[in-house]
Amino acid sequence: QVQLVESGGGLVQAGDSLRLSCAASGLTFRNYVMGWFRQTPGKEREVVGTIVPSGGTTYVADSLKGRFTISRDNARSAVYLQMNSLKPEDTAVYYCAATLRGTMASQRDYSYWGQGTKVTVSS
């Protein structure tokens, strides 16, 4: 049974940093592209970024570049999202997901999803 479990969310102030983690089990983690997504109530879920299986290449949404970085540790079957200089508009539930389709896969191509971790940024 595949499980993706996010952690690290919480309530922070604007300008703070957070590091989200996603622990994977039940899949050959090193084969999967991993993605981070976020969703706020009333809005569509949006991609935050993705990382290739080797970890050598990452994609981060243009609006988040310079503040958010993605990394992974295949030995630990984990993927991370480092978020710096957080803003109130970063408030959302953050999800990790796994796909075999490639870094530009659409959300519907992601086979596995975590339950999400909530991040709240106060002004």
Side-chain angles (χ1 to χ4, degrees):
Q1 180 182 358
V2 175
Q3 282 193 313
L4 301 178
V5 180
E6 302 94 336
S7 61
L11 173 63
V12 297
Q13 293 187 330
D16 286 350
S17 297
L18 269 181
R19 187 194 195 207
L20 305 184
S21 299
C22 172
S25 61
L27 75 171
T28 307
F29 182 77
R30 64 180 181 273
N31 290 347
Y32 283 79
V33 167
M34 298 300 296
W36 282 101
F37 300 83
R38 68 183 185 181
Q39 188 170 26
T40 55
K43 292 188 177 181
E44 291 188 356
R45 186 168 54 196
E46 62 177 353
V47 62
V48 172
T50 61
I51 185 166
V52 300
S54 68
T57 303
T58 61
Y59 160 81
V60 175
D62 287 344
S63 61
L64 303 176
K65 284 181 180 176
R67 296 194 299 122
F68 287 22
T69 57
I70 299 174
S71 61
R72 66 190 292 162
D73 185 341
N74 286 344
R76 289 183 166 82
S77 296
V79 61
Y80 307 101
L81 178 64
Q82 178 67 42
M83 305 185 294
N84 299 328
S85 302
L86 282 161
K87 304 175 181 179
E89 52 263 42
D90 294 320
T91 295
V93 177
Y94 285 74
Y95 300 89
C96 69
T99 182
L100 291 172
R101 287 295 194 96
T103 56
M104 301 310 293
S106 64
Q107 293 189 34
R108 64 178 179 271
D109 290 325
Y110 279 77
S111 303
Y112 306 109
W113 291 82
Q115 82 291 345
T117 186
K118 187 172 183 180
V119 173
T120 304
V121 185
S122 64
S123 57

